[in-house]
Amino acid sequence: MKAVICTKYGPPEVLTVTQVEKPVPKDTEILVAIKATAVNSGDVRMRALAVEGFLKIVMRFVLGFTKPRKPILGTVFSGIVEQVGSKVQHFSVGDAVYGITGFKFGTYAEYIAVSENSVVTQKPDNASFEEAAAILFGGQTAIYFLQKANIAARATPSVLIYGATGSVGAAAVQIAKHYNARVTAVCSSKGQDLAHELGADRIVLYDKEDISQMPEKFDIFFDAVGKAPKKLALNLLNKGGSYQTVGGLDVAADKLEQLQLLRTLFEEGKLNPAIDRIYTLDEIVEAHRYVDTGRKKGNVVVRIG
Ligand SMILES: NC(=O)c1ccc[n+]([C@@H]2O[C@H](COP(=O)([O-])OP(=O)(O)OC[C@H]3O[C@@H](n4cnc5c(N)ncnc54)[C@H](OP(=O)(O)O)[C@@H]3O)[C@@H](O)[C@H]2O)c1
């Protein structure tokens, strides 16, 4: 099968499209013919080993010293179940599914074998494979941090999403709206249109306005790009408010329920997949170059097959 291999840590050019053996599903695994994946900020970070200080050493232990031990990167997929292991109970051949592999990676490929008990489920009925792949990374992360902020326990929370136009931020605006929040989105002038489309109640342009001078306070300040000064965030919180950031050491744990919530929201027309660009697997280097800019708006999808 065709796959993208990461030959060493480095710039996008370390990625090579090649042929590798097609996986064979074990008894409890399903074989998925992948139709779409996405290039996320986490992927380019892994490829470049772009982490600070002692974390670099930790990551070499976790991922591999000079190159990833699991050479096929990519953590999200959508596709069709092509084969099921003899003990698989919950999936059938032909099911349209989507899932997250996390640190197991392996989605920049035509096929993947995953446990039926991993983070994989039916994709939203009305989503294309590209849309299904787009909503996973940011959606899962946004749900994790907003739930950590206990958003459901607040009746009509006021929520500030800092960096509202990335994969995580775009999803966070919409997930917060699902929890009846009044959402203030902070983004650049270039992201203004997207923030509006996502349903933000108020948009603050960080390149035109001084956020520290905002008169309002918030129940939740979610820094979805990890770039807001913590002091600024804490100053803008109501008493008892919650500050969350993607920039700390907390890694958003993947859970099946997150995918189920994303499916429901998409099927109800409440989740815009915010697809910025679509590439093919052969264009993976260009896709990584674009995501490396840190300026993408929403999600970058890779169509396969
Ligand atoms: N801890 C975790 O579990 C976890 C999980 C997922 C992601 N992350 C981290 O979260 C961060 C965001 O991920 P992502 O996938 O959403 O990234 P992304 O999609 O690459 O974010 C790009 C967006 O951020 C905006 N941006 C850049 N600088 C900004 C600033 N100073 N203020 C506000 N917006 C800014 C850009 O728009 P403009 O340039 O127009 O402003 C662009 O739209 C990454 O650092 C990632 O590693 C952490």
Side-chain angles (χ1 to χ4, degrees), residues 36-275:
T37 180
V39 177
N40 294 307
S41 55
D43 303 7
V44 301
R45 187 174 277 232
M46 295 299 130
R47 187 213 70 229
L49 205 69
V51 285
E52 301 298 320
F54 82 100
L55 275 179
K56 209 163 214 138
I57 298 170
V58 174
M59 292 308 274
R60 283 188 195 276
F61 270 101
V62 175
L63 299 174
F65 276 86
T66 56
K67 60 183 181 182
R69 239 172 257 121
K70 294 175 197 281
I72 304 175
L73 300 183
T75 63
V76 298
F77 65 92
S78 63
I80 296 174
V81 176
E82 186 171 290
Q83 204 181 324
V84 295
S86 59
K87 294 187 180 148
V88 166
Q89 295 182 338
H90 306 296
F91 293 91
S92 308
V93 170
D95 283 353
V97 296
Y98 76 151
I100 301 183
T101 58
F103 279 101
K104 291 189 173 154
F105 304 103
T107 68
Y108 291 178
E110 287 181 317
Y111 292 91
I112 192 165
V114 295
S115 164
E116 72 159 337
N117 299 314
S118 63
V119 183
V120 57
T121 185
Q122 314 297 324
K123 78 167 179 62
D125 273 344
N126 54 344
S128 65
F129 288 107
E130 289 81 7
E131 289 169 332
I135 62 179
L136 287 163
F137 178 82
Q140 175 271 328
T141 307
I143 292 171
Y144 174 84
F145 282 103
L146 289 173
Q147 289 185 341
K148 201 173 148 214
N150 220 359
I151 190 167
R154 304 167 194 261
T156 47
S158 57
V159 176
L160 183 144
I161 307 294
Y162 187 89
T165 56
S167 178
V168 178
V173 169
Q174 303 179 86
I175 305 289
K177 292 299 297 178
H178 162 68
Y179 285 106
N180 299 317
R182 181 180 154 71
V183 176
T184 297
V186 178
C187 61
S188 74
S189 308
K190 288 186 180 149
Q192 189 170 8
D193 291 347
L194 175 60
H196 183 69
E197 277 169 37
L198 297 171
D201 298 288
R202 183 166 172 231
I203 297 168
V204 178
L205 303 177
Y206 74 80
D207 51 352
K208 297 232 167 98
E209 296 170 57
D210 182 355
I211 298 156
S212 67
Q213 299 306 311
M214 282 170 67
E216 312 95 300
K217 302 268 185 212
F218 299 89
D219 298 320
I220 295 173
F221 185 116
F222 177 34
D223 181 357
V225 281
K227 291 189 176 176
K230 184 173 179 182
K231 199 170 163 207
L232 165 81
L234 297 180
N235 279 340
L236 289 176
L237 277 183
N238 282 325
K239 199 161 176 278
S242 175
Y243 161 64
Q244 300 293 331
T245 178
V246 292
L249 289 177
D250 193 5
V251 176
D254 310 326
K255 289 197 187 126
L256 196 55
E257 301 85 70
Q258 296 158 343
L259 272 57
Q260 287 156 344
L261 175 56
L262 292 172
R263 183 175 62 216
T264 303
L265 294 179
F266 195 94
E267 288 179 349
E268 290 175 353
K270 293 180 184 160
L271 193 57
N272 174 340
I275 295 177

Side-chain angles (χ1 to χ4, degrees), residues 273-288:
I275 295 177
D276 182 345
R277 294 189 185 178
I278 299 181
Y279 292 88
T280 64
L281 206 55
D282 290 324
E283 297 168 328
I284 195 77
V285 171
E286 287 101 287
H288 267 246

